[in-house]
Amino acid sequence: MADTIAAISTAVQKSGIAIIRISGDDALSVADKVFSGKKSLKDAKSHSMNYGKVIFQGEVVDECLCSVMLTPNSYTKENVVEINVHGGIISAERTLKAVLASGARIANAGEFTLRAFLNGRMDLSQAEAVADIIDSKTGLAQSVAVNQLQGKLTNGINEIRAEIIKILGLISVSTDFPDEDVDSLSGEDTKEKLIKLLKSVNKLIENADKGKILREGALCAICGRPNVGKSSLLNCLSGEERAIVTEIAGTTRDIIEEYINIKGIPVRLGDTAGIRENTGKVETIGVKKAVEYIKNADLCLFLIDAGELFTKDDAEIYSMIKDKPHITVINKTDLDNKALIPDEIDNKIYISVKDKKGIEELENKIHDTILGGNFSSDDVMITNTRHKEAVRLAKEELESAINALDTGFTPDMAAINLENAANHLGKITGMTVSDEVIHEIFSKFCLGK
Amino acid sequence: MDLYDAEKYDVAVIGAGHAGCEAALAAARMGCHVIMFSINLDAIANMPCNPNVGGTAKGHLVREIDALGGEMGKAADDTYIQIKMLNLGKGPAVHSLRAQIDRRRYQERMKKTLEQQENLDIKQAEVVKINFIDGKVSGVVTNMGAIYEVKACVIATGTFLKGNIVIGTLQYSGGPDGMLPANSLSDCLKEAGVKLFRFKTGTPARINRRSVNFDLMEIQKGDDDIVPFSFSTKNPRENRSVCYLTYTNKETHKIIMDNIDRAPLYNHSIHGIGPRYCPSIEDKVVRFKDKERHQIFIEPMGENTEELYVQGMSSSLPEEVQIAMLRTVKGLEDVKMQRTAYAIEYDCQDPTQLKASLEFKDIPGLFGAGQFNGSSGYEEAAAQGLIAGINAALKVKEKEPFTLDRSEAYIGVLIDDLTVKGTNEPYRMLTSRAEYRLLLRQDNADVRLTEKGYQLGLISEKRYKEFLKKKELSEKEIERCEHVNIPPSNEVNELLTSAQSTNISTGIKLGELIRRPELNYFMLAPIDKDRPELDKDVAQEVNIAVKYEGYIKMQIEQVKAFKKLEQKLIPDNLDYSLVAGLKKEAKEKLAKQKPQNIGQASRISGVSPADITVLLIYIEQMKRG
Ligand SMILES: Nc1nc2c(ncn2[C@@H]2O[C@H](COP(=O)(O)OP(=O)(O)O)[C@@H](O)[C@H]2O)c(=O)[nH]1
Ligand SMILES: [Mg+2]
């Protein structure tokens, strides 16, 4: 007997599609509690898609498509229902809430794959490697929108890969046909081409992080010394009174997090404890946690109190965050400006939580900083860890190739790294890199006896 | 035709080209009674196309053949007239030997070796039929009516099967180099269920030396510092001749274009599929219009002949057009053509019908090798012949087959490509086909394969002992390089300065210095006081092993991952129709090709990584019951 677990398995903000996966004995009855369609999912056939609505507490959360996969013909070999919703991360979260309220429990990280393993689907090492493939396969099969997004990504990767094959062709032709009068690629030329390629790869990786942000939310830490208004800002941005606001410095001990939507980006906003240097050493567990939290953040909001002098503590905190993406938020502008902020402190924005001034501007700035300003919907995004890993490995190989050329190795040696890179970026069915390189050689060069 | 029962043999080898010779010698040397057939004994080990052995990647094959106890390397060493290591300016993975061969001497050398080989008989006859009992090979029948009872048979028919010569509008049934074709065997194979293809290849004209003006051409010489093919050749012979380079020009191309409608390739009278890497001159001119000139190499056919090979001018245009276009080339203005260039179409078989042992999956005892398997080139043929011969012998002795995988040898890559991926053109070996090429170097072919050759009984005790000694020396020296410490001294830093290398202020490992781009093992000899006296080839191996250590380690790791998939066996009678989740195409391909392991399955075209995942999961489930 397997209890029923659920989690958001894919969430793609741009297309608005998200999948909530439910697996276990009661998957169907749990899903039926939140699903309203022509017929109940209990009566649906295995591998059918069912159109309907997600209803929670009497309210329509979203339209949805529900796919039903009955045991043993599912990924986990258990009964599986996948609810595809359209309203982005927010409606995905609500749907999950509804599912959890209906008898499922939240799945642990990797628990679907673990079940697949326990139910005899695969061994553990495979399970890890395979999870992503199957994940992306089912995801692909189910939604045209996701398909399009994936298609764009595939194109982006394929373009880079094709360029690698082209370079390999140039290198190989002079090695395999040394007598032919084709211009062979010099080490310098090869390097130049590789540096260009590396730029494209880096762009892809940058966007991969954005893809992750769109899926999982950007982690945004509010930091500043006690009493600058951190908790107030959190409450203001989230529209809820979560954090305690007091005039006593150091009230906030634990990190309080809110999941909010800033201009379409899911943001995990964290109110860190006030950090301050006390008797020369960082004290309290809360402060330690805050330091850790800041380390993991995608963005830091550095709060300063306009009504007080800029202190050594402020400077200390700034030095911790200055190398991370950050915004300096000068709060309490309703008070007389006494702060005298040093010149090197950048990315400033002035607000008053009390008077609700500058909040809209702050939200815009958060949005732009997270997405790097120049982010457009046409950019290729990596939304899947397997793809990201592949691109990362390819990047490493490109760097090794450049390094090899720099240290005096010949292009045919660097070619070994390039073949690895092309392999990481994926194979066209059954066609190996060497087939493609050879095809490239013969289509571009005139060779032979 | 009257039939009669002739003698009994263990193995019959059909064909005496480069594949047939290696097959027959290997099987005989492994103790089998072997009979080898050739339509004409004067065609034994003939080079009907270029008079070369080796070349990029092909040179690797020859050295591997040699390390396994084959004959090609030794025969080439005895008969070359010029030899050269290609790609010396590039990385060690792509250094390749190539030699110009005295064609006639090579044939004589090989024929005599065959004739002197114990257990081996050679016979001039055309095999017209193979007999089967219960689907297994039981004998061969010649055009003389002789029936030879055999236990295994290697088909190495080259371009002889239903050979068809094409020159312009002239077409006739014929084998290569004016030989008779073998027109009967194809039908018998088809009957036995073998799927045949039709491939095409071609060869350029031969001309007379007296009619050539070499003053207008560039001379091409061999190496001063000679490395032979065979690891057992101690005193390699000198270079004895040179080649020349000249070019086609606009005039040549005009003649070709004016007559292009007379080219069989363009008026569709040729149906066979030709190789992309050896297009005819008309093909080059049509496909690469912008190229103003194409290279022509003039190569001697031997020391006892004035005949020259015109590399780069393969053609099937009518003879008069050939002569006209040759005479437009600088230095060939008054050329006398001795043999006309021709194209030849021939039957070969779909090599995916074979196992890695080169035995037919569905016909026990029947083996294929060489151009019959869809490859091209003498070296590719010889490599397959050797493996087919070895496995025919092992079959007779009821022993496990001998196979090489992609991480062990170019031979492994060649056979894996052919038998797993198949080919839709005559297959040529290239270094870019070998993913683990830094491990599969020509210099270490002996390290990789001598042991195996010895186990098979193809390497003599004496040679094996020598090899072990050499191996130990190089291993010890590699080890020493990584441990010896070079302390800073004036002498050391003077040497470093003269090599434009950064001086050292603390001790440094010798290996670290060797790995500096501007240095190598040889240059550091003066400051390496305890260096043992080593042969040049051993020292070279040490240099490569130390200098490229990073890449070598990386490839060794990759090989480990590769081996894991090769070791995941697929049950023999797996019913792919029961594997849910496989794409239709993958299902069909897998069912047809019956890969032996997951690695092979993953290389079949049309089988995606997702299909492999599904397959892995299915096999795992089967195992768990
Ligand atoms: N005048 C003024 N006071 C503010 C503003 N924002 C917060 N405060 C006050 O500053 C004090 C400390 O705020 P709190 O959010 O608890 O600060 P924290 O310690 O950084 O979390 C409270 O009394 C807030 O009411 C503002 O914009 N203007
Ligand atoms: Mg607080």
Side-chain angles (χ1 to χ4, degrees), chain A residues 363-387:
Chain A
E363 286 187 343
N364 283 335
K365 202 163 172 125
I366 293 175
H367 175 275
D368 291 351
T369 312
I370 290 174
L371 292 188
N374 55 0
F375 189 76
S376 92
S377 61
D378 286 340
D379 275 346
V380 173
M381 265 185 321
I382 302 177
T383 53
N384 149 324
T385 45
R386 183 171 60 99
H387 285 145

PDB file of all heavy atoms in Angstrom, chain A residues 363-387:
ATOM      1  N   GLU A 363       9.171  47.463  -7.111  1.00  0.00           N
ATOM      2  CA  GLU A 363       8.762  46.204  -7.758  1.00  0.00           C
ATOM      3  C   GLU A 363       9.326  46.103  -9.169  1.00  0.00           C
ATOM      4  O   GLU A 363       9.819  45.048  -9.587  1.00  0.00           O
ATOM      5  CB  GLU A 363       7.223  46.102  -7.794  1.00  0.00           C
ATOM      6  CG  GLU A 363       6.651  45.791  -6.430  1.00  0.00           C
ATOM      7  CD  GLU A 363       5.151  45.519  -6.465  1.00  0.00           C
ATOM      8  OE1 GLU A 363       4.496  45.875  -7.467  1.00  0.00           O
ATOM      9  OE2 GLU A 363       4.643  44.950  -5.492  1.00  0.00           O
ATOM     10  N   ASN A 364       9.258  47.221  -9.912  1.00  0.00           N
ATOM     11  CA  ASN A 364       9.828  47.215 -11.261  1.00  0.00           C
ATOM     12  C   ASN A 364      11.312  46.899 -11.224  1.00  0.00           C
ATOM     13  O   ASN A 364      11.833  46.142 -12.039  1.00  0.00           O
ATOM     14  CB  ASN A 364       9.619  48.577 -11.936  1.00  0.00           C
ATOM     15  CG  ASN A 364       8.194  48.718 -12.429  1.00  0.00           C
ATOM     16  OD1 ASN A 364       7.515  47.726 -12.687  1.00  0.00           O
ATOM     17  ND2 ASN A 364       7.712  49.946 -12.500  1.00  0.00           N
ATOM     18  N   LYS A 365      11.980  47.506 -10.247  1.00  0.00           N
ATOM     19  CA  LYS A 365      13.422  47.320 -10.173  1.00  0.00           C
ATOM     20  C   LYS A 365      13.765  45.869  -9.801  1.00  0.00           C
ATOM     21  O   LYS A 365      14.738  45.296 -10.308  1.00  0.00           O
ATOM     22  CB  LYS A 365      14.024  48.290  -9.152  1.00  0.00           C
ATOM     23  CG  LYS A 365      15.506  48.511  -9.436  1.00  0.00           C
ATOM     24  CD  LYS A 365      16.059  49.738  -8.748  1.00  0.00           C
ATOM     25  CE  LYS A 365      17.570  49.747  -8.947  1.00  0.00           C
ATOM     26  NZ  LYS A 365      18.070  50.961  -9.552  1.00  0.00           N
ATOM     27  N   ILE A 366      12.951  45.285  -8.924  1.00  0.00           N
ATOM     28  CA  ILE A 366      13.169  43.871  -8.571  1.00  0.00           C
ATOM     29  C   ILE A 366      13.016  43.001  -9.814  1.00  0.00           C
ATOM     30  O   ILE A 366      13.857  42.154 -10.127  1.00  0.00           O
ATOM     31  CB  ILE A 366      12.163  43.423  -7.467  1.00  0.00           C
ATOM     32  CG1 ILE A 366      12.469  44.145  -6.155  1.00  0.00           C
ATOM     33  CG2 ILE A 366      12.226  41.903  -7.281  1.00  0.00           C
ATOM     34  CD1 ILE A 366      11.459  43.874  -5.046  1.00  0.00           C
ATOM     35  N   HIS A 367      11.951  43.258 -10.554  1.00  0.00           N
ATOM     36  CA  HIS A 367      11.686  42.500 -11.777  1.00  0.00           C
ATOM     37  C   HIS A 367      12.869  42.588 -12.742  1.00  0.00           C
ATOM     38  O   HIS A 367      13.402  41.582 -13.225  1.00  0.00           O
ATOM     39  CB  HIS A 367      10.421  43.033 -12.450  1.00  0.00           C
ATOM     40  CG  HIS A 367      10.110  42.407 -13.771  1.00  0.00           C
ATOM     41  ND1 HIS A 367      10.669  42.842 -14.951  1.00  0.00           N
ATOM     42  CD2 HIS A 367       9.313  41.355 -14.096  1.00  0.00           C
ATOM     43  CE1 HIS A 367      10.232  42.094 -15.946  1.00  0.00           C
ATOM     44  NE2 HIS A 367       9.402  41.180 -15.452  1.00  0.00           N
ATOM     45  N   ASP A 368      13.309  43.820 -13.004  1.00  0.00           N
ATOM     46  CA  ASP A 368      14.376  44.015 -13.991  1.00  0.00           C
ATOM     47  C   ASP A 368      15.697  43.422 -13.514  1.00  0.00           C
ATOM     48  O   ASP A 368      16.466  42.872 -14.307  1.00  0.00           O
ATOM     49  CB  ASP A 368      14.568  45.504 -14.282  1.00  0.00           C
ATOM     50  CG  ASP A 368      13.380  46.066 -15.029  1.00  0.00           C
ATOM     51  OD1 ASP A 368      12.515  45.268 -15.454  1.00  0.00           O
ATOM     52  OD2 ASP A 368      13.301  47.305 -15.183  1.00  0.00           O
ATOM     53  N   THR A 369      15.961  43.556 -12.214  1.00  0.00           N
ATOM     54  CA  THR A 369      17.238  43.044 -11.715  1.00  0.00           C
ATOM     55  C   THR A 369      17.274  41.520 -11.822  1.00  0.00           C
ATOM     56  O   THR A 369      18.276  40.932 -12.216  1.00  0.00           O
ATOM     57  CB  THR A 369      17.475  43.469 -10.257  1.00  0.00           C
ATOM     58  OG1 THR A 369      17.207  44.858 -10.147  1.00  0.00           O
ATOM     59  CG2 THR A 369      18.911  43.192  -9.835  1.00  0.00           C
ATOM     60  N   ILE A 370      16.168  40.883 -11.486  1.00  0.00           N
ATOM     61  CA  ILE A 370      16.132  39.413 -11.546  1.00  0.00           C
ATOM     62  C   ILE A 370      16.295  38.922 -12.975  1.00  0.00           C
ATOM     63  O   ILE A 370      17.065  38.001 -13.249  1.00  0.00           O
ATOM     64  CB  ILE A 370      14.805  38.870 -10.948  1.00  0.00           C
ATOM     65  CG1 ILE A 370      14.795  39.083  -9.440  1.00  0.00           C
ATOM     66  CG2 ILE A 370      14.644  37.394 -11.283  1.00  0.00           C
ATOM     67  CD1 ILE A 370      13.492  38.720  -8.783  1.00  0.00           C
ATOM     68  N   LEU A 371      15.595  39.547 -13.872  1.00  0.00           N
ATOM     69  CA  LEU A 371      15.667  39.055 -15.252  1.00  0.00           C
ATOM     70  C   LEU A 371      16.743  39.746 -16.075  1.00  0.00           C
ATOM     71  O   LEU A 371      16.803  39.586 -17.293  1.00  0.00           O
ATOM     72  CB  LEU A 371      14.301  39.192 -15.918  1.00  0.00           C
ATOM     73  CG  LEU A 371      13.219  38.274 -15.349  1.00  0.00           C
ATOM     74  CD1 LEU A 371      11.969  38.338 -16.198  1.00  0.00           C
ATOM     75  CD2 LEU A 371      13.698  36.842 -15.244  1.00  0.00           C
ATOM     76  N   GLY A 372      17.572  40.537 -15.412  1.00  0.00           N
ATOM     77  CA  GLY A 372      18.707  41.127 -16.111  1.00  0.00           C
ATOM     78  C   GLY A 372      18.322  42.185 -17.123  1.00  0.00           C
ATOM     79  O   GLY A 372      19.067  42.488 -18.040  1.00  0.00           O
ATOM     80  N   GLY A 373      17.125  42.737 -17.003  1.00  0.00           N
ATOM     81  CA  GLY A 373      16.740  43.871 -17.852  1.00  0.00           C
ATOM     82  C   GLY A 373      16.504  43.488 -19.297  1.00  0.00           C
ATOM     83  O   GLY A 373      15.394  43.605 -19.797  1.00  0.00           O
ATOM     84  N   ASN A 374      17.528  42.901 -19.942  1.00  0.00           N
ATOM     85  CA  ASN A 374      17.439  42.663 -21.383  1.00  0.00           C
ATOM     86  C   ASN A 374      16.776  41.333 -21.709  1.00  0.00           C
ATOM     87  O   ASN A 374      17.007  40.756 -22.740  1.00  0.00           O
ATOM     88  CB  ASN A 374      18.839  42.714 -22.001  1.00  0.00           C
ATOM     89  CG  ASN A 374      19.775  41.753 -21.303  1.00  0.00           C
ATOM     90  OD1 ASN A 374      19.368  41.066 -20.363  1.00  0.00           O
ATOM     91  ND2 ASN A 374      21.025  41.699 -21.743  1.00  0.00           N
ATOM     92  N   PHE A 375      15.985  40.834 -20.841  1.00  0.00           N
ATOM     93  CA  PHE A 375      15.381  39.519 -21.028  1.00  0.00           C
ATOM     94  C   PHE A 375      14.105  39.642 -21.843  1.00  0.00           C
ATOM     95  O   PHE A 375      13.226  40.422 -21.511  1.00  0.00           O
ATOM     96  CB  PHE A 375      15.052  38.944 -19.652  1.00  0.00           C
ATOM     97  CG  PHE A 375      14.634  37.520 -19.700  1.00  0.00           C
ATOM     98  CD1 PHE A 375      15.574  36.530 -19.875  1.00  0.00           C
ATOM     99  CD2 PHE A 375      13.308  37.172 -19.568  1.00  0.00           C
ATOM    100  CE1 PHE A 375      15.190  35.202 -19.910  1.00  0.00           C
ATOM    101  CE2 PHE A 375      12.921  35.857 -19.608  1.00  0.00           C
ATOM    102  CZ  PHE A 375      13.869  34.866 -19.770  1.00  0.00           C
ATOM    103  N   SER A 376      14.057  38.912 -22.945  1.00  0.00           N
ATOM    104  CA  SER A 376      12.822  38.994 -23.723  1.00  0.00           C
ATOM    105  C   SER A 376      12.195  37.613 -23.834  1.00  0.00           C
ATOM    106  O   SER A 376      12.859  36.598 -23.624  1.00  0.00           O
ATOM    107  CB  SER A 376      13.127  39.549 -25.109  1.00  0.00           C
ATOM    108  OG  SER A 376      13.383  38.493 -26.003  1.00  0.00           O
ATOM    109  N   SER A 377      10.953  37.596 -24.207  1.00  0.00           N
ATOM    110  CA  SER A 377      10.254  36.307 -24.250  1.00  0.00           C
ATOM    111  C   SER A 377      10.774  35.452 -25.399  1.00  0.00           C
ATOM    112  O   SER A 377      10.480  34.283 -25.489  1.00  0.00           O
ATOM    113  CB  SER A 377       8.755  36.536 -24.406  1.00  0.00           C
ATOM    114  OG  SER A 377       8.527  37.215 -25.619  1.00  0.00           O
ATOM    115  N   ASP A 378      11.562  36.049 -26.297  1.00  0.00           N
ATOM    116  CA  ASP A 378      12.122  35.261 -27.386  1.00  0.00           C
ATOM    117  C   ASP A 378      13.374  34.511 -26.962  1.00  0.00           C
ATOM    118  O   ASP A 378      13.886  33.678 -27.692  1.00  0.00           O
ATOM    119  CB  ASP A 378      12.474  36.161 -28.573  1.00  0.00           C
ATOM    120  CG  ASP A 378      11.218  36.588 -29.298  1.00  0.00           C
ATOM    121  OD1 ASP A 378      10.186  35.908 -29.116  1.00  0.00           O
ATOM    122  OD2 ASP A 378      11.273  37.586 -30.012  1.00  0.00           O
ATOM    123  N   ASP A 379      13.896  34.839 -25.804  1.00  0.00           N
ATOM    124  CA  ASP A 379      15.111  34.184 -25.356  1.00  0.00           C
ATOM    125  C   ASP A 379      14.855  32.708 -25.092  1.00  0.00           C
ATOM    126  O   ASP A 379      13.787  32.325 -24.637  1.00  0.00           O
ATOM    127  CB  ASP A 379      15.625  34.829 -24.061  1.00  0.00           C
ATOM    128  CG  ASP A 379      16.468  36.049 -24.380  1.00  0.00           C
ATOM    129  OD1 ASP A 379      16.839  36.200 -25.551  1.00  0.00           O
ATOM    130  OD2 ASP A 379      16.717  36.836 -23.460  1.00  0.00           O
ATOM    131  N   VAL A 380      15.876  31.924 -25.417  1.00  0.00           N
ATOM    132  CA  VAL A 380      15.766  30.501 -25.156  1.00  0.00           C
ATOM    133  C   VAL A 380      15.978  30.256 -23.675  1.00  0.00           C
ATOM    134  O   VAL A 380      16.883  30.822 -23.069  1.00  0.00           O
ATOM    135  CB  VAL A 380      16.848  29.747 -25.949  1.00  0.00           C
ATOM    136  CG1 VAL A 380      16.869  28.285 -25.569  1.00  0.00           C
ATOM    137  CG2 VAL A 380      16.600  29.913 -27.428  1.00  0.00           C
ATOM    138  N   MET A 381      15.138  29.456 -23.106  1.00  0.00           N
ATOM    139  CA  MET A 381      15.261  29.201 -21.682  1.00  0.00           C
ATOM    140  C   MET A 381      15.410  27.731 -21.406  1.00  0.00           C
ATOM    141  O   MET A 381      14.745  26.906 -22.004  1.00  0.00           O
ATOM    142  CB  MET A 381      14.012  29.683 -20.973  1.00  0.00           C
ATOM    143  CG  MET A 381      14.173  31.066 -20.436  1.00  0.00           C
ATOM    144  SD  MET A 381      12.730  31.464 -19.531  1.00  0.00           S
ATOM    145  CE  MET A 381      11.469  30.764 -20.514  1.00  0.00           C
ATOM    146  N   ILE A 382      16.284  27.421 -20.497  1.00  0.00           N
ATOM    147  CA  ILE A 382      16.426  26.035 -20.089  1.00  0.00           C
ATOM    148  C   ILE A 382      15.577  25.857 -18.850  1.00  0.00           C
ATOM    149  O   ILE A 382      15.751  26.558 -17.869  1.00  0.00           O
ATOM    150  CB  ILE A 382      17.888  25.705 -19.770  1.00  0.00           C
ATOM    151  CG1 ILE A 382      18.747  25.998 -20.992  1.00  0.00           C
ATOM    152  CG2 ILE A 382      18.031  24.264 -19.339  1.00  0.00           C
ATOM    153  CD1 ILE A 382      20.208  25.780 -20.748  1.00  0.00           C
ATOM    154  N   THR A 383      14.631  24.931 -18.921  1.00  0.00           N
ATOM    155  CA  THR A 383      13.746  24.797 -17.768  1.00  0.00           C
ATOM    156  C   THR A 383      13.946  23.457 -17.095  1.00  0.00           C
ATOM    157  O   THR A 383      13.222  23.111 -16.192  1.00  0.00           O
ATOM    158  CB  THR A 383      12.276  24.908 -18.207  1.00  0.00           C
ATOM    159  OG1 THR A 383      12.073  23.971 -19.247  1.00  0.00           O
ATOM    160  CG2 THR A 383      11.960  26.291 -18.676  1.00  0.00           C
ATOM    161  N   ASN A 384      14.914  22.696 -17.573  1.00  0.00           N
ATOM    162  CA  ASN A 384      15.003  21.340 -17.073  1.00  0.00           C
ATOM    163  C   ASN A 384      16.454  21.067 -16.666  1.00  0.00           C
ATOM    164  O   ASN A 384      17.391  21.463 -17.342  1.00  0.00           O
ATOM    165  CB  ASN A 384      14.427  20.480 -18.200  1.00  0.00           C
ATOM    166  CG  ASN A 384      14.977  19.115 -18.343  1.00  0.00           C
ATOM    167  OD1 ASN A 384      16.163  18.868 -18.133  1.00  0.00           O
ATOM    168  ND2 ASN A 384      14.127  18.211 -18.737  1.00  0.00           N
ATOM    169  N   THR A 385      16.604  20.457 -15.523  1.00  0.00           N
ATOM    170  CA  THR A 385      17.938  20.317 -14.953  1.00  0.00           C
ATOM    171  C   THR A 385      18.858  19.491 -15.850  1.00  0.00           C
ATOM    172  O   THR A 385      20.040  19.746 -15.918  1.00  0.00           O
ATOM    173  CB  THR A 385      17.882  19.626 -13.581  1.00  0.00           C
ATOM    174  OG1 THR A 385      17.019  18.514 -13.698  1.00  0.00           O
ATOM    175  CG2 THR A 385      17.385  20.567 -12.524  1.00  0.00           C
ATOM    176  N   ARG A 386      18.271  18.498 -16.539  1.00  0.00           N
ATOM    177  CA  ARG A 386      19.092  17.664 -17.403  1.00  0.00           C
ATOM    178  C   ARG A 386      19.694  18.508 -18.526  1.00  0.00           C
ATOM    179  O   ARG A 386      20.870  18.404 -18.845  1.00  0.00           O
ATOM    180  CB  ARG A 386      18.246  16.547 -18.006  1.00  0.00           C
ATOM    181  CG  ARG A 386      19.032  15.582 -18.860  1.00  0.00           C
ATOM    182  CD  ARG A 386      18.176  14.409 -19.230  1.00  0.00           C
ATOM    183  NE  ARG A 386      17.001  14.826 -19.971  1.00  0.00           N
ATOM    184  CZ  ARG A 386      16.898  14.764 -21.293  1.00  0.00           C
ATOM    185  NH1 ARG A 386      17.893  14.341 -22.011  1.00  0.00           N
ATOM    186  NH2 ARG A 386      15.794  15.139 -21.906  1.00  0.00           N
ATOM    187  N   HIS A 387      18.855  19.342 -19.113  1.00  0.00           N
ATOM    188  CA  HIS A 387      19.358  20.203 -20.171  1.00  0.00           C
ATOM    189  C   HIS A 387      20.423  21.146 -19.647  1.00  0.00           C
ATOM    190  O   HIS A 387      21.437  21.385 -20.278  1.00  0.00           O
ATOM    191  CB  HIS A 387      18.215  21.011 -20.777  1.00  0.00           C
ATOM    192  CG  HIS A 387      17.344  20.189 -21.656  1.00  0.00           C
ATOM    193  ND1 HIS A 387      15.995  20.384 -21.749  1.00  0.00           N
ATOM    194  CD2 HIS A 387      17.645  19.158 -22.461  1.00  0.00           C
ATOM    195  CE1 HIS A 387      15.494  19.505 -22.588  1.00  0.00           C
ATOM    196  NE2 HIS A 387      16.471  18.744 -23.041  1.00  0.00           N
TER     197      HIS A 387
END
